[in-house]
Amino acid sequence: MSGMNIRQAEADDRSALIALMAELHDAEVLMESNRASGAESAESHLDHILGEMKRLGGAVLVAEAAGRVEGFLVYTIEEDPGTFVKPSMRRHGMLWDISVSAAMRGQGLGRKLVGAAEADLAARGIAEMRLYVLAANKRAQALYRELGYGDYEYIMAKRF
C-alpha cells in the first residue's frame, strides 16, 4: 500500500490510539463474553499497556495513511523466568494489542505493523515474538499463521 508509513507513536496520537483500541474491544465483545466494550475499557487498557511497555521496554508503532493513524501495535520485551527455557530464547517480544481501523482492514496494515515490530526486535537481538489471540478470532489466527506464527502454549479456562 503506497502512502502508508509505520512510525513510533507520539503523544499527539493518543486519541487515535484510544479510538482504535475501542474498535478492537468492541470486536472482541462479539467473540468473548468476558470482554468489556470499548467505551468501558479502551482508555484504561491503553494506559495499562503503556505502563507495562515503559516498565518492560518495547514500543507502540502506528500505521499512518494519508496523514491519519489507521492502525497500531504495542509490544513489550519480556523474559521467561527460571531454566526451563534455553538462555538464548528467554528474551522475547510480546505483542499485546494490534488494531487496524475498519476502513483499512484487509489492505496489509496489520502485516506491515507485525513486520515492523519483528524488525525492531531483531535489531535489539531478540529472535522471537509471542502473542495471545482469542480462540474465537479465526481471522487473526489465520493472519498470524500466514506470517509464520504457530501454536506455543494453550491457556484453558473454566467459568463456574
Side-chain angles (χ1 to χ4, degrees):
M1 156 178 263
S2 63
M4 200 267 302
N5 179 45
I6 304 282
R7 62 172 173 79
Q8 295 282 326
E10 301 168 355
D12 289 346
D13 298 324
R14 183 173 173 81
S15 61
L17 294 174
I18 292 168
L20 287 163
M21 186 70 78
E23 279 191 49
L24 173 63
H25 288 194
D26 288 342
E28 288 183 344
V29 162
L30 301 175
M31 292 180 249
E32 178 54 56
S33 64
N34 74 354
R35 293 301 203 239
S37 73
E40 296 174 86
S41 61
E43 186 169 14
S44 61
H45 182 66
L46 178 65
D47 289 341
H48 170 72
I49 61 174
L50 292 176
E52 289 298 294
M53 186 200 67
K54 287 177 185 166
R55 182 176 71 84
L56 297 167
V60 180
L61 304 176
V62 297
E64 225 175 19
R68 179 182 156 99
V69 174
E70 296 286 359
F72 81 94
L73 179 150
V74 180
Y75 74 84
T76 56
I77 297 171
E78 302 190 7
E79 188 163 339
D80 288 318
T83 59
F84 64 96
V85 174
K86 295 176 183 176
S88 64
M89 297 302 293
R90 288 183 190 151
R91 286 186 73 221
H92 59 274
M94 178 59 75
L95 192 163
W96 278 66
D97 284 300
I98 182 171
S99 181
V100 172
S101 69
M104 299 299 285
R105 286 187 198 134
Q107 297 185 43
L109 265 67
R111 291 174 190 279
K112 290 186 186 302
L113 283 163
V114 172
E118 291 171 352
D120 281 358
L121 289 164
R124 298 174 190 235
I126 297 170
E128 181 179 42
M129 183 156 64
R130 300 177 190 169
L131 57 89
Y132 295 103
V133 60
L134 289 175
N137 195 342
K138 301 303 183 194
R139 182 176 179 170
Q141 290 175 39
L143 170 64
Y144 295 133
R145 289 190 192 290
E146 287 174 21
L147 295 174
Y149 289 78
D151 297 340
Y152 175 68
E153 292 180 325
Y154 292 100
I155 297 177
M156 300 176 79
K158 176 183 177 182
R159 295 193 179 119
F160 49 90

